[in-house]
Short mmCIF file of all heavy atoms in Angstrom, two decimals:
data_model
loop_
_atom_site.label_atom_id
_atom_site.label_comp_id
_atom_site.label_asym_id
_atom_site.label_seq_id
_atom_site.Cartn_x
_atom_site.Cartn_y
_atom_site.Cartn_z
N LEU A 15 -1.70 -6.88 -4.53
CA LEU A 15 -3.08 -6.63 -4.45
C LEU A 15 -3.33 -5.12 -4.41
O LEU A 15 -2.86 -4.46 -3.60
CB LEU A 15 -3.67 -7.18 -3.11
CG LEU A 15 -5.20 -7.30 -2.91
CD1 LEU A 15 -5.70 -8.37 -3.86
CD2 LEU A 15 -5.50 -7.77 -1.45
N GLU A 76 3.01 19.13 1.48
CA GLU A 76 4.19 18.47 0.88
C GLU A 76 5.55 19.18 1.12
O GLU A 76 6.57 18.59 1.54
CB GLU A 76 4.05 18.30 -0.65
CG GLU A 76 5.21 17.62 -1.25
CD GLU A 76 4.87 17.22 -2.71
OE1 GLU A 76 4.12 17.87 -3.34
OE2 GLU A 76 5.58 16.29 -3.30
N ALA A 122 1.82 5.13 10.17
CA ALA A 122 0.66 4.65 10.68
C ALA A 122 -0.41 5.01 9.68
O ALA A 122 -0.26 6.09 8.98
CB ALA A 122 0.21 5.12 11.99
N LYS A 152 -4.30 -10.52 7.22
CA LYS A 152 -3.02 -11.05 6.40
C LYS A 152 -2.22 -12.07 7.24
O LYS A 152 -2.51 -12.32 8.40
CB LYS A 152 -2.01 -9.69 6.29
CG LYS A 152 -1.32 -9.31 7.53
CD LYS A 152 -0.39 -8.14 7.17
CE LYS A 152 0.53 -7.84 8.41
NZ LYS A 152 1.44 -8.93 8.68
N PRO A 154 1.70 -13.43 8.47
CA PRO A 154 2.79 -12.68 9.04
C PRO A 154 3.71 -12.06 8.00
O PRO A 154 4.35 -11.05 8.25
CB PRO A 154 3.54 -13.65 9.92
CG PRO A 154 2.36 -14.68 10.27
CD PRO A 154 1.45 -14.80 9.13
N GLU A 192 13.90 -6.06 -3.20
CA GLU A 192 15.07 -5.94 -2.28
C GLU A 192 14.78 -6.68 -1.02
O GLU A 192 15.63 -7.09 -0.23
CB GLU A 192 15.38 -4.54 -2.04
CG GLU A 192 16.11 -3.93 -3.24
CD GLU A 192 16.23 -2.35 -3.05
OE1 GLU A 192 15.93 -1.83 -2.03
OE2 GLU A 192 16.66 -1.77 -4.03
#
Side-chain angles (χ1 to χ4, degrees):
L15 193 64
E76 186 174 18
K152 77 178 190 66
E192 289 168 8

